[in-house]
Amino acid sequence: MVAGAIIGKGGETIAQLQKDTGARVKMSKSHDFYPGTTERACLITGSVEGIMVVLDFIMDKIKEKPELVKPFPEGVDAKMPQDRDKQVKILVPNSTAGMIIGKGGNYIKQIKEQSGSYVQISQKAKEVSLQERCITVVGQLESHLTTQPAPHALLMLR
């Protein structure tokens, strides 16, 4: 799994990453998937710069091991690009999803236009009482260049 490459043997890789960036990185347990998916959650906290370095590291690991990235489950938006190694999924509290969408969808439209990324926010869960919604950002991730689509979109979300 990609998570193993992120954590490293005995947690060495993730510990060094945290030391180098000052960011805190927590992975969900090996079979603790986000509801409705086969994906583990990774919580990154810290400065924007530190978070972007960790994100870049994780995306590099996904690119190195594309065969380990699971295909999308059924029911995923058919219009969404399917290159998982170019995607970032961000969980945000239900209470902040409206701020990201903006009045009449204006802010999310602005993010899409200015960043060149595909951005989708999941619908509020009806059958499960999830406290968050998933934002999927799809675009090129090129090391820390804020002019590249996906990092630019992520910086606009902060």
Side-chain angles (χ1 to χ4, degrees), residues 34-90:
Y34 186 74
T37 74
T38 56
E39 296 183 305
R40 292 173 63 180
C42 178
L43 175 64
I44 308 167
T45 56
S47 68
V48 172
E49 295 79 18
I51 290 169
M52 294 305 286
V53 170
V54 171
L55 176 63
D56 188 46
F57 175 83
I58 291 170
M59 294 307 295
D60 283 346
K61 292 299 178 191
I62 291 171
K63 287 177 189 174
E64 288 172 12
K65 301 182 180 297
E67 70 281 358
L68 299 178
V69 179
K70 295 179 178 164
F72 289 110
E74 282 186 44
V76 170
D77 184 352
K79 295 180 284 187
M80 186 185 318
Q82 299 293 305
D83 291 334
R84 183 62 182 100
D85 64 333
K86 293 181 179 71
Q87 289 188 23
V88 177
K89 293 184 179 185
I90 307 159

Side-chain angles (χ1 to χ4, degrees), residues 95-133:
S95 59
T96 60
M99 292 187 303
I100 294 166
I101 296 168
K103 190 171 185 172
N106 284 336
Y107 192 61
I108 195 165
K109 182 179 177 186
Q110 179 184 350
I111 292 171
K112 290 176 183 180
E113 288 172 357
Q114 290 183 5
S115 70
S117 292
Y118 176 89
V119 182
Q120 180 184 36
I121 299 182
S122 66
Q123 296 295 314
K124 195 170 182 180
K126 293 180 178 119
E127 64 280 345
V128 185
S129 60
L130 296 176
Q131 299 300 310
E132 61 272 323
R133 290 172 63 183

